[in-house]
Amino acid sequence: MAGEVVLLDCWPSMFGMRVRIALAEKGIKYEYKEQDLKNKNPLLLEMNPINKQIPVLIHNGKPVCESLIIVQYIDEVWNDKSSLLPSDPYQRAQARFWADFVDKKVYGASRKVWSTKGEEQEAGKREFFEILKTLEVELGDKPYFGGETFGYVDLSFITFYSWFQAYEVFGNINIEVECPKIIAWAKRCLQKESVAKTLPDQKKVYEFVAQMRKRFVSE
Amino acid sequence: MAEEVLVFGAWGSPFSRRVEMALKLKGIEYKYIEEDITNKSPSLLKYNPVHKKIPVLVHNGKPVAESLVILEYIDETWKDSPILSKDPYERANARFWAKFIDEKCLSAIFKACWGEEKEHEKALEEASELLQFLENELKEKRYFGGETVGLLDIAANIIGYWLGVFEEASGVELMTREKFPKLCNWANEFVSVSAIKENLPPREKLIAYFRNRFGVGTASK
């Protein structure tokens, strides 16, 4: 079960953050290796030849790729504490469905919010809020998407919170006004040590995004 | 308690056929409801309000959507004839390749068959590259799942059957025996399994449907 754990990642990646939270939840010691995606090193290319992307978890020399697949792997291997997925098959299916929803929808829409302008950005903003509102409905009155405790769906989505300042500034939007429940939920998640220690400061992410945005938008 | 299993699907969809294949492999009785995706039923919209898509599995009144999520649910609920290994690494591997097929292969194959003429060579090359990854992943195994059909084989139904249909409908050659001997052998094995064979839509009907919907394909122009 133990053995060597290495994580290939990039600090602002909301996908990599998911893995870091899962590792923290389980109290797993690992070696973190920051990657330069503009200059990919041989280890990354060897461990993820198909997508050449982060995050990659290397456990006893064997790579696991794709953040949610890595999180499930972590949950199954280190299954003695802090279960991330529910034990009931129907609840698990619901958790997988919603994490898949976050994966398919949030990134694409949010990207339009910070990396485009004009009509494309306006459409992106509408889409972004539609998606967040769907998530708000799913959350309902529960403290977490997982119910009483932080779980798989919470983990899959909370990492985007670190990018919210960037979305708000570049998109000229106010997420708390449109989706107060999401913000309340996010703040609740941040009270967990694994989340608070993993999520980078919003301002730091904003500065990173500002640099990236220059490549996409001429002001 | 009497068990009720419903599957909302579409006859030509590889995604809803996946669900039926898994149920058949495990010997689970179910009731199939054909959906007209141009005129979705109130039931479908009720059971999958988020995506409004097929397939949806409804087990004792409770809906599960997204084909790969449904496959895992089926495996966890009906434990005979497992389609996923117990080993976490192998499970992660199967999930990775299933996602690869859904996110990368399908659109690449479509582009190669029905994309713009000027992009044809490039699209063909890209699709071939992706198929090569799968060819390498198969290695010397009979099925992706090893000795028996597994979740990845079922997810690869697009490669095992629909790809051949796209090729014939569009006139584009993609998965040739010369370039992909292992995948071709696998495809033959796959479609011979009775639980799979019983759940394949009629080939001619499918070819006609795709020709009608997408035209005769880039290569024929």
Side-chain angles (χ1 to χ4, degrees):
Chain A
M1 194 197 332
E4 196 200 42
V5 182
V6 177
L7 177 64
L8 307 183
D9 198 354
C10 286
W11 71 265
S13 162
M14 62 283 271
F15 303 104
M17 285 174 216
R18 290 167 168 173
V19 179
R20 285 176 252 157
I21 293 174
L23 290 165
E25 280 287 298
K26 303 275 187 179
I28 297 164
K29 294 222 179 328
Y30 65 99
E31 187 189 348
Y32 179 91
K33 290 191 172 181
E34 181 71 20
Q35 300 298 299
D36 177 1
L37 293 182
K38 291 199 228 70
N39 191 16
K40 293 175 181 178
N41 79 39
L43 180 63
L44 175 60
L45 298 176
E46 183 199 332
M47 292 289 140
N48 189 357
I50 293 105
N51 297 327
K52 307 178 176 61
Q53 272 297 359
I54 55 89
V56 180
L57 188 84
I58 310 172
H59 184 205
N60 293 330
K62 300 203 293 186
V64 185
C65 307
E66 293 297 311
S67 63
L68 290 180
I69 293 175
I70 299 171
V71 170
Q72 287 186 81
Y73 174 80
I74 289 170
D75 206 36
E76 289 173 12
V77 173
W78 288 274
N79 56 11
D80 54 340
K81 68 183 270 208
S82 306
S83 263
L84 295 166
L85 276 137
S87 48
D88 169 69
Y90 186 73
Q91 299 301 327
R92 289 161 77 82
Q94 295 312 304
R96 287 186 175 123
F97 174 87
W98 283 104
D100 173 74
F101 175 85
V102 171
D103 247 12
K104 282 192 166 93
K105 302 277 191 186
V106 179
Y107 181 73
S110 64
R111 203 186 154 86
K112 285 182 211 163
V113 172
W114 67 260
S115 72
T116 67
K117 58 182 186 176
E119 196 34 60
E120 202 186 341
Q121 191 188 40
E122 288 307 307
K125 283 154 68 172
R126 281 192 297 270
E127 207 189 313
F128 179 72
F129 280 124
E130 229 179 83
I131 291 160
L132 254 58
K133 283 176 179 165
T134 303
L135 286 165
E136 263 195 338
V137 169
E138 174 54 23
L139 180 63
D141 292 320
K142 305 193 297 276
Y144 300 100
F145 284 96
E148 290 306 308
T149 49
F150 181 89
Y152 187 64
V153 181
D154 303 278
L155 182 153
S156 72
F157 183 40
I158 189 58
T159 59
F160 285 87
Y161 181 72
S162 61
W163 284 59
F164 276 16
Q165 183 176 346
Y167 302 154
E168 288 185 327
V169 172
F170 295 119
N172 193 23
I173 55 177
N174 187 323
I175 300 174
E176 185 150 22
V177 163
E178 297 287 330
C179 302
K181 272 186 173 172
I182 294 290
I183 300 300
W185 159 82
K187 291 182 175 162
R188 193 173 301 125
C189 291
L190 273 158
Q191 285 168 14
K192 285 185 70 67
E193 195 181 345
S194 60
V195 178
K197 286 210 161 138
T198 297
L199 260 51
D201 185 52
Q202 283 190 341
K203 181 148 189 289
K204 210 175 156 204
V205 175
Y206 159 75
E207 283 162 7
F208 169 80
V209 177
Q211 283 305 309
M212 278 220 291
R213 185 176 149 89
K214 288 183 188 158
R215 291 191 350 230
F216 296 97
V217 182
S218 52
E219 307 275 31
Chain B
M1 175 173 65
E3 213 162 38
E4 187 200 53
V5 181
L6 308 177
V7 176
F8 287 80
W11 69 271
S13 159
F15 304 104
S16 63
R17 292 288 180 170
R18 286 172 179 174
V19 176
E20 294 191 85
M21 287 168 184
L23 291 168
K24 272 268 155 54
L25 275 164
K26 290 181 180 264
I28 308 300
E29 302 261 328
Y30 63 95
K31 182 175 166 206
Y32 175 79
I33 295 133
E34 173 73 15
E35 278 286 327
D36 173 0
I37 55 178
T38 61
N39 187 17
K40 293 170 183 177
S41 75
S43 291
L44 177 64
L45 300 177
K46 173 179 107 185
Y47 287 129
N48 190 0
V50 174
H51 296 305
K52 306 178 176 56
K53 283 180 174 179
I54 55 93
V56 182
L57 179 90
V58 184
H59 184 203
N60 294 332
K62 301 201 289 185
V64 185
E66 290 299 302
S67 67
L68 297 181
V69 175
I70 298 171
L71 290 183
E72 294 222 29
Y73 175 77
I74 289 172
D75 204 42
E76 291 175 6
T77 303
W78 293 283
K79 303 209 198 284
D80 280 346
S81 307
I83 56 174
L84 265 174
S85 164
K86 283 203 176 10
D87 172 67
Y89 191 77
E90 281 177 37
R91 291 161 73 86
N93 201 43
R95 286 170 179 146
F96 174 85
W97 288 108
K99 190 171 192 229
F100 171 81
I101 288 169
D102 274 3
E103 288 186 358
K104 299 224 149 89
C105 289
L106 187 54
S107 55
I109 290 166
F110 247 80
K111 249 170 115 179
C113 292
W114 283 290
E116 281 179 43
E117 209 174 324
K118 57 183 178 167
E119 309 247 324
H120 182 66
E121 278 310 311
K122 184 165 168 239
L124 207 56
E125 211 181 287
E126 272 174 28
S128 289
E129 251 176 59
L130 298 178
L131 286 177
Q132 191 60 51
F133 282 125
L134 288 170
E135 172 87 3
N136 296 344
E137 176 54 25
L138 197 49
K139 302 184 188 77
E140 301 308 320
K141 296 181 294 203
R142 187 175 180 197
Y143 302 106
F144 284 103
E147 281 307 303
T148 52
V149 168
L151 180 137
L152 180 52
D153 298 275
I154 299 171
N157 65 353
I158 294 174
I159 312 293
Y161 186 72
W162 272 260
L163 176 48
V165 167
F166 296 158
E167 286 175 309
E168 193 166 334
S170 67
V172 173
E173 258 192 350
L174 196 47
M175 194 165 104
T176 59
R177 186 156 275 285
E178 293 74 40
K179 283 175 84 179
F180 305 106
K182 293 186 180 137
L183 273 180
C184 288
N185 282 338
W186 166 81
N188 287 335
E189 291 268 6
F190 176 70
V191 301
S192 308
V193 175
S194 60
I196 306 298
K197 194 157 63 176
E198 285 164 28
N199 277 301
L200 296 172
R203 199 182 158 90
E204 290 309 315
K205 192 177 171 194
L206 206 54
I207 290 169
Y209 170 81
F210 281 105
R211 274 208 183 121
N212 196 39
R213 188 141 174 230
F214 296 106
V216 292
T218 322
S220 314
K221 289 185 190 135

